[in-house]
Amino acid sequence: MATHLRPNTSAQPAADICAAIADGLASDEATKHLAPLWESLTAKGDALAAEGRKQERALGRARARLAVADAQWDPEVASFGRDVVDKTGGRRDVPPYTRFFKDVSPSAAQAFGIDREVKQGREWLDELGRNPDEPLALKWSPRLGTVTDKLDDTAKERANGLRALALQGTSEELYVEDINLELDRLEGDLKKLFPGQPKRVAAFLEPTRPKRKREAGDADEGPEGEDS
């Protein structure tokens, strides 16, 4: 009779179900004592939903900062490449071009993924650091350092955001498992309170009923779930 929530149910709709169950229980003197548990589950779901929204927004912000950092890194690398080529009179087979771009051209580096761009930027900075007083190093160590550090920092922020959101997802899955366990217990308690009254028992579990497509004028249906 009780319908389990699907494992991928998010916290907010799960909390809404708990709130509806709590109100139904509180409205009957015979079941009022069962309502506080469901109010507690509602509050827990609301808190999880708020935290999830916070984590999603933080990840969105981190992704936006990373996109900007990447867009700043690419033209600096292009300018660095042009400057190095100018130092060789346009030749690409002599130093300093071969010092920096022996294995990868400036244009190819701009097509790298974020992690590889950071790694490449660090390699160029290491090479510039071999002779920190030369004109190229004086000009490009701070410029490449700034954009590479920013790219690295924002990439780490995005990674942290993804990890936090994954942990949030696990917390919500465990929350749904708790609800399903309590649904089984609630059904057992209701059957003891109302033996031989399946319709009365079902009324308290109505919020867990699966949704059906509705036409205009149809009554509301319960949330989507799966039979226990």
Side-chain angles (χ1 to χ4, degrees), residues 9 18 31 36 56 59 79 83 97 108 119 128 131 147 155 162 164-165 201 205 213 219 221:
T9 303
C18 292
T31 58
E56 288 172 357
L59 178 57
S79 295
D83 207 1
Y97 190 90
K119 182 175 182 292
L128 288 167
N131 189 359
V147 293
L162 287 168
L165 204 57
V201 171
L205 302 172
K213 289 185 178 179
E221 297 293 343

Side-chain angles (χ1 to χ4, degrees), residues 60-136:
R61 289 177 182 272
R63 282 173 167 157
R65 290 192 296 270
L66 179 58
V68 171
D70 190 28
Q72 291 173 327
W73 192 85
D74 288 348
E76 280 293 82
V77 169
S79 295
F80 176 50
R82 288 192 297 270
D83 207 1
V84 172
V85 170
D86 287 345
K87 294 293 189 293
T88 66
R91 296 183 60 181
R92 289 173 170 77
D93 58 347
V94 296
Y97 190 90
T98 53
R99 281 178 58 199
F100 298 101
F101 306 118
K102 178 181 178 181
D103 298 319
V104 60
S105 68
S107 58
Q110 294 170 60
F112 287 169
I114 299 298
D115 290 344
R116 195 174 174 191
E117 285 183 345
V118 171
K119 182 175 182 292
Q120 184 61 64
R122 298 292 184 217
E123 290 177 1
W124 287 329
L125 288 166
D126 287 345
E127 184 60 36
L128 288 167
R130 293 178 184 276
N131 189 359
D133 295 325
E134 68 174 331
L136 272 176

Side-chain angles (χ1 to χ4, degrees), residues 15 38-48 175:
W38 291 91
E39 291 290 4
S40 176
L41 286 170
T42 300
K44 182 177 180 180
D46 286 343
L48 279 171
Y175 171 60

Side-chain angles (χ1 to χ4, degrees), residues 4-228:
H4 279 178
L5 307 190
R6 296 186 185 279
N8 62 349
T9 303
S10 58
Q12 193 59 70
D16 292 343
I17 293 168
C18 292
I21 291 173
D23 264 23
L25 293 169
S27 68
D28 189 321
E29 287 296 328
T31 58
K32 186 176 291 186
H33 65 286
L34 299 173
L37 170 65
W38 291 91
E39 291 290 4
S40 176
L41 286 170
T42 300
K44 182 177 180 180
D46 286 343
L48 279 171
E51 181 63 22
R53 186 70 190 92
K54 177 182 175 182
Q55 296 294 350
E56 288 172 357
R57 178 170 292 178
L59 178 57
R61 289 177 182 272
R63 282 173 167 157
R65 290 192 296 270
L66 179 58
V68 171
D70 190 28
Q72 291 173 327
W73 192 85
D74 288 348
E76 280 293 82
V77 169
S79 295
F80 176 50
R82 288 192 297 270
D83 207 1
V84 172
V85 170
D86 287 345
K87 294 293 189 293
T88 66
R91 296 183 60 181
R92 289 173 170 77
D93 58 347
V94 296
Y97 190 90
T98 53
R99 281 178 58 199
F100 298 101
F101 306 118
K102 178 181 178 181
D103 298 319
V104 60
S105 68
S107 58
Q110 294 170 60
F112 287 169
I114 299 298
D115 290 344
R116 195 174 174 191
E117 285 183 345
V118 171
K119 182 175 182 292
Q120 184 61 64
R122 298 292 184 217
E123 290 177 1
W124 287 329
L125 288 166
D126 287 345
E127 184 60 36
L128 288 167
R130 293 178 184 276
N131 189 359
D133 295 325
E134 68 174 331
L136 272 176
L138 291 172
K139 178 179 180 179
W140 284 104
S141 288
R143 288 179 62 173
L144 278 179
T146 296
V147 293
T148 300
D149 286 346
K150 183 174 183 178
L151 189 64
D152 192 14
D153 290 343
T154 53
K156 289 174 180 175
E157 289 172 358
R158 180 187 62 175
N160 290 338
L162 287 168
R163 281 192 291 271
L165 204 57
L167 290 173
Q168 173 70 22
T170 299
S171 296
E172 294 194 15
E173 288 173 4
L174 293 173
Y175 171 60
V176 170
E177 287 180 9
D178 287 344
I179 292 173
N180 286 335
L181 178 62
E182 293 302 333
L183 281 171
D184 290 338
R185 290 174 176 167
L186 176 61
E187 183 175 2
D189 290 340
L190 291 171
K191 286 179 177 178
K192 291 176 183 177
L193 288 169
F194 309 115
Q197 301 180 61
K199 287 187 177 180
R200 191 168 182 184
V201 171
F204 294 101
L205 302 172
E206 174 72 17
T208 69
R209 284 182 58 198
K211 281 184 177 179
R212 295 199 307 266
K213 289 185 178 179
R214 293 187 292 124
E215 296 180 359
D218 285 352
D220 285 343
E221 297 293 343
E224 186 174 338
E226 54 186 16
D227 291 337
S228 61

